[in-house]
Coordinates of all heavy atoms in Angstrom, one line a residue:
Q21 N 101.5 157.7 64.6 CA 100.3 158.4 65.4 C 101.0 158.7 66.8 O 100.6 159.9 67.3 CB 99.3 157.3 65.6 CG 98.0 158.1 66.2 CD 97.4 159.2 65.3 OE1 97.4 159.0 64.0 NE2 96.9 160.2 65.9
F22 N 101.8 157.9 67.4 CA 102.3 158.3 68.7 C 103.3 159.4 68.6 O 103.4 160.5 69.4 CB 103.2 157.1 69.2 CG 103.8 157.3 70.5 CD1 103.1 157.3 71.7 CD2 105.1 157.6 70.7 CE1 103.7 157.6 73.0 CE2 105.8 157.9 71.9 CZ 105.1 157.9 73.0
Y23 N 104.0 159.5 67.4 CA 105.0 160.6 67.3 C 104.2 161.9 67.2 O 104.6 163.0 67.8 CB 105.9 160.4 66.1 CG 106.8 161.5 65.8 CD1 107.9 161.8 66.6 CD2 106.6 162.3 64.7 CE1 108.8 162.8 66.3 CE2 107.4 163.4 64.5 CZ 108.4 163.6 65.2 OH 109.4 164.8 64.9
I24 N 103.1 161.9 66.3 CA 102.4 163.2 66.1 C 101.7 163.6 67.4 O 101.4 164.7 67.7 CB 101.3 162.9 65.1 CG1 101.9 162.6 63.6 CG2 100.3 164.0 64.9 CD1 102.8 163.8 63.2
A25 N 101.2 162.6 68.3 CA 100.6 162.8 69.5 C 101.6 163.5 70.5 O 101.2 164.4 71.3 CB 100.0 161.6 70.1
V26 N 102.9 163.1 70.5 CA 103.9 163.6 71.4 C 104.4 165.0 71.0 O 104.6 165.9 71.7 CB 105.0 162.7 71.5 CG1 106.2 163.2 72.3 CG2 104.6 161.4 72.3
A27 N 104.6 165.1 69.6 CA 105.2 166.3 69.1 C 104.3 166.8 67.9 O 104.7 166.5 66.7 CB 106.6 166.1 68.6
P28 N 103.2 167.4 68.2 CA 102.3 167.8 67.1 C 102.9 168.8 66.2 O 103.8 169.7 66.6 CB 101.0 168.4 67.8 CG 101.5 168.6 69.2 CD 102.7 167.7 69.4
I29 N 102.6 168.7 64.9 CA 103.1 169.7 64.0 C 102.5 171.0 64.0 O 101.2 171.0 64.0 CB 103.0 169.1 62.5 CG1 103.7 167.8 62.3 CG2 103.3 170.0 61.5 CD1 103.3 166.9 61.1
G30 N 103.2 172.0 64.2 CA 102.7 173.4 64.3 C 102.0 173.7 65.6 O 101.1 174.6 65.6
G31 N 102.2 172.9 66.6 CA 101.3 173.1 67.9 C 102.2 172.7 69.1 O 103.3 172.3 68.9
T32 N 101.6 172.8 70.3 CA 102.3 172.4 71.4 C 101.6 171.1 71.9 O 100.5 171.0 71.9 CB 102.2 173.5 72.5 OG1 100.9 173.7 72.8 CG2 102.9 174.8 72.1
A33 N 102.5 170.3 72.6 CA 101.9 169.1 73.1 C 101.2 169.2 74.6 O 101.8 170.1 75.4 CB 103.1 168.1 73.3
N34 N 100.1 168.8 74.7 CA 99.5 168.7 76.0 C 98.8 167.3 76.2 O 98.6 166.6 75.2 CB 98.5 169.9 76.1 CG 97.4 169.8 75.0 OD1 96.9 168.6 74.8 ND2 97.0 170.9 74.4
A35 N 98.4 167.0 77.4 CA 97.9 165.7 77.8 C 96.7 165.5 77.0 O 96.4 164.3 76.5 CB 97.8 165.6 79.2
Y36 N 95.7 166.4 76.9 CA 94.4 166.2 76.4 C 94.6 165.8 74.8 O 94.0 164.7 74.5 CB 93.6 167.3 76.4 CG 92.2 167.3 75.8 CD1 91.2 166.5 76.4 CD2 92.1 167.8 74.5 CE1 90.0 166.4 75.6 CE2 90.8 167.7 73.9 CZ 89.8 166.9 74.4 OH 88.6 166.7 73.7
D37 N 95.4 166.4 74.2 CA 95.5 166.2 72.7 C 96.3 164.8 72.6 O 96.0 164.1 71.5 CB 96.4 167.3 72.0 CG 95.5 168.5 71.8 OD1 94.3 168.4 71.8 OD2 96.1 169.5 71.7
F38 N 97.2 164.5 73.5 CA 97.9 163.2 73.3 C 96.8 162.1 73.5 O 96.8 161.1 72.7 CB 98.9 163.1 74.4 CG 99.6 161.8 74.6 CD1 100.5 161.4 73.7 CD2 99.1 160.8 75.4 CE1 101.2 160.1 73.7 CE2 99.7 159.6 75.5 CZ 100.7 159.2 74.6
F39 N 96.0 162.2 74.5 CA 95.1 161.1 74.6 C 93.9 161.0 73.6 O 93.5 159.9 73.2 CB 94.3 161.2 76.1 CG 95.3 160.8 77.2 CD1 95.8 161.7 78.0 CD2 95.7 159.5 77.3 CE1 96.7 161.3 79.0 CE2 96.6 159.0 78.3 CZ 97.1 160.0 79.2
V40 N 93.6 162.2 73.1 CA 92.7 162.2 72.0 C 93.4 161.5 70.8 O 92.6 160.6 70.0 CB 92.2 163.5 71.7 CG1 91.5 163.6 70.2 CG2 91.3 164.1 72.7
Q41 N 94.6 161.8 70.5 CA 95.3 161.2 69.3 C 95.6 159.8 69.4 O 95.5 159.1 68.4 CB 96.6 162.0 69.0 CG 96.5 163.5 68.7 CD 96.0 163.5 67.3 OE1 96.3 162.7 66.4 NE2 95.2 164.6 67.0
M42 N 95.8 159.3 70.7 CA 96.1 157.9 70.8 C 94.9 157.1 71.4 O 95.1 155.9 71.7 CB 97.2 157.8 71.9 CG 98.5 158.3 71.5 SD 99.2 157.5 70.0 CE 99.4 155.8 70.5
L43 N 93.6 157.6 71.2 CA 92.6 156.9 71.6 C 92.3 155.5 70.9 O 91.8 154.6 71.4 CB 91.2 157.8 71.5 CG 90.0 157.2 72.1 CD1 90.2 157.0 73.6 CD2 88.9 158.3 71.9
A44 N 92.6 155.5 69.6 CA 92.5 154.3 68.8 C 93.0 153.1 69.4 O 92.6 152.0 69.3 CB 93.0 154.5 67.4
L45 N 94.3 153.2 70.0 CA 95.0 152.1 70.5 C 94.3 151.4 71.6 O 94.1 150.2 71.6 CB 96.4 152.4 70.9 CG 97.4 151.2 71.3 CD1 97.5 150.3 70.1 CD2 98.7 151.8 71.7
P46 N 93.9 152.1 72.7 CA 93.1 151.4 73.7 C 91.7 150.9 73.3 O 91.3 149.9 73.8 CB 93.1 152.4 74.9 CG 93.4 153.7 74.3 CD 94.3 153.5 73.2
V47 N 91.2 151.5 72.3 CA 89.8 151.1 71.9 C 90.0 149.8 71.2 O 89.2 148.9 71.3 CB 89.2 152.1 70.9 CG1 88.0 151.6 70.1 CG2 88.7 153.4 71.7
I48 N 91.0 149.7 70.3 CA 91.2 148.4 69.7 C 91.5 147.2 70.6 O 91.1 146.2 70.5 CB 92.4 148.5 68.5 CG1 92.0 149.4 67.5 CG2 92.9 147.2 68.1 CD1 93.1 149.8 66.6
L49 N 92.5 147.6 71.6 CA 92.8 146.6 72.6 C 91.5 146.2 73.5 O 91.4 145.0 73.7 CB 93.8 147.2 73.5 CG 95.2 147.3 72.9 CD1 96.2 147.8 73.8 CD2 95.7 145.8 72.3
A50 N 90.6 147.1 73.8 CA 89.5 146.9 74.6 C 88.5 146.0 73.6 O 87.9 145.1 74.3 CB 88.8 148.1 75.0
C51 N 88.4 146.3 72.4 CA 87.6 145.5 71.7 C 88.1 144.0 71.5 O 87.3 143.1 71.7 CB 87.3 146.1 70.3 SG 86.4 147.7 70.2
F52 N 89.3 143.9 71.3 CA 89.9 142.5 71.2 C 89.8 141.8 72.6 O 89.3 140.6 72.5 CB 91.5 142.7 70.8 CG 92.1 141.3 70.7 CD1 91.9 140.5 69.8 CD2 92.9 141.0 71.9 CE1 92.6 139.2 69.7 CE2 93.7 139.8 71.7 CZ 93.4 138.9 70.7
L53 N 90.1 142.3 73.6 CA 90.0 141.6 74.9 C 88.7 141.6 75.2 O 88.2 140.4 75.9 CB 90.8 142.5 75.9 CG 92.3 142.5 75.8 CD1 92.9 143.5 77.0 CD2 93.0 141.2 75.8
G54 N 87.7 142.4 74.9 CA 86.3 142.2 75.2 C 85.7 141.0 74.5 O 84.9 140.3 75.1
W55 N 86.2 140.9 73.3 CA 85.7 139.7 72.3 C 86.2 138.5 73.2 O 85.4 137.4 73.2 CB 86.2 139.9 71.1 CG 85.9 138.7 70.2 CD1 86.7 137.5 70.1 CD2 84.8 138.4 69.4 NE1 86.0 136.6 69.2 CE2 84.8 137.2 68.9 CE3 83.6 139.2 69.3 CZ2 83.8 136.6 68.0 CZ3 82.6 138.7 68.4 CH2 82.7 137.4 67.8
K56 N 87.4 138.4 73.5 CA 88.0 137.3 74.1 C 87.2 136.9 75.5 O 87.0 135.7 75.7 CB 89.5 137.3 74.3 CG 90.3 137.6 73.1 CD 90.4 136.5 72.2 CE 91.5 135.5 72.4 NZ 91.5 134.3 71.4
I57 N 87.0 137.8 76.2 CA 86.3 137.6 77.5 C 84.8 137.3 77.2 O 84.3 136.3 77.9 CB 86.6 138.8 78.4 CG1 88.0 139.0 78.8 CG2 85.6 138.7 79.6 CD1 88.3 140.3 79.5
W58 N 84.1 138.0 76.5 CA 82.7 137.8 76.3 C 82.4 136.4 75.7 O 81.6 135.7 76.1 CB 82.2 138.9 75.3 CG 80.6 138.7 75.1 CD1 80.1 138.1 74.1 CD2 79.7 139.3 76.0 NE1 78.7 138.2 74.2 CE2 78.4 138.9 75.4 CE3 79.7 140.0 77.1 CZ2 77.2 139.2 75.9 CZ3 78.4 140.4 77.6 CH2 77.2 140.0 77.0
H59 N 83.3 136.0 74.7 CA 83.0 134.8 74.1 C 83.8 133.5 74.6 O 83.8 132.4 74.2 CB 83.3 134.8 72.5 CG 82.3 135.7 71.8 ND1 81.1 135.2 71.4 CD2 82.4 137.0 71.4 CE1 80.4 136.1 70.8 NE2 81.3 137.3 70.9

């Protein structure tokens, strides 16, 4: 996913598309840490 976000197939890389492609990673980390903090 990181590779596709950095070098998209048939397109040019830009910051917006990178963060959209890599959004799952911070969401997973936020959910995990949120659970640990909340409970």
Side-chain angles (χ1 to χ4, degrees):
Q21 190 66 35
F22 179 77
Y23 178 75
I24 295 297
V26 170
I29 298 171
T32 58
N34 61 43
Y36 176 78
D37 289 337
F38 174 81
F39 286 109
V40 167
Q41 293 291 328
M42 291 303 294
L43 186 60
L45 187 60
V47 167
I48 290 170
L49 291 175
C51 289
F52 176 73
L53 293 175
W55 175 269
K56 296 297 263 180
I57 292 168
W58 182 266
H59 292 281

